[in-house]
Amino acid sequence: DVKVTQSSRYLVKRTGEKVFLECVQDMDHENMFWYRQDPGLGLRLIYFSYDVKMKEKGDIPEGYSVSREKKERFSLILESASTNQTSMYLCASSPLGGRGANVLTFGAGSRLTVL
Amino acid sequence: AQTVTQSQPEMSVQEAETVTLSCTYDTSESDYYLFWYKQPPSRQMILVIRQEAYKQQNATENRFSVNFQKAAKSFSLKISDSQLGDAAMYFCATGDMRFGAGTRLTVKP
């Protein structure tokens, strides 16, 4: 019954490494989102996408990029990981439209540690 | 973007009692949606309840209900007859996908 799958549950990377976080959904949703979750800060929106090959910056896009080559897959890329990017990363998806009524379906999260 | 404030980092409730989690938000929209999500320990975030702003009636889902005060931009979550399984992080969110900082709810047996 898995609907949003994040490929890695735990990752440990070194400063300066390029990091890929993968997210796949099987619900044919148009919208996909990447958040980071930090204690005391909640969820902060990094990037989102409303369609294949489309992307929009969220509130904290600096240091991140994304790729959406297929509808079901949305990747978050850290070009050069830094220690302040140590966090829990959550992927989510929702159907198109709905005037903001759509419920997000979340993945289990990817906990990234940058040493 | 809409903004969300949750002023209670942690809350505690006795099993079978009632607890209310607070949330305020800011928006320039006239019609919008508000959500409460629950994140149990080491488990995925799930929806608890959703409210449409133009509806006067407060949303209810079993033991979960909201107190929506549109003029005050307040959207609190009430959990009645609290159960051990209600222990989780609770996040308030807006329809433009912005979240608050969360409230960690502990349920004491």
Side-chain angles (χ1 to χ4, degrees), chain A residues 34 55 65-70 73-77:
Chain A
W34 275 106
K55 60 184 179 183
S65 62
V66 291
S67 172
R68 193 163 181 202
E69 296 295 320
K70 294 183 178 182
R73 185 180 298 270
F74 192 36
S75 302
L76 181 68
I77 303 159

Side-chain angles (χ1 to χ4, degrees), chain A residues 17-33:
Chain A
E17 278 192 77
K18 190 169 185 176
V19 181
F20 293 87
L21 300 181
E22 307 286 345
C23 176
V24 177
Q25 50 94 5
D26 63 3
M27 296 168 288
D28 201 34
H29 283 170
E30 287 78 9
N31 303 333
M32 296 189 75
F33 305 83

Side-chain angles (χ1 to χ4, degrees), chain A residues 81-102:
Chain A
S82 63
T83 55
N84 63 12
Q85 292 178 310
T86 292
S87 187
M88 171 69 85
Y89 290 88
L90 297 178
C91 176
S93 71
S94 73
L96 188 65
R99 302 182 296 114
N102 293 319

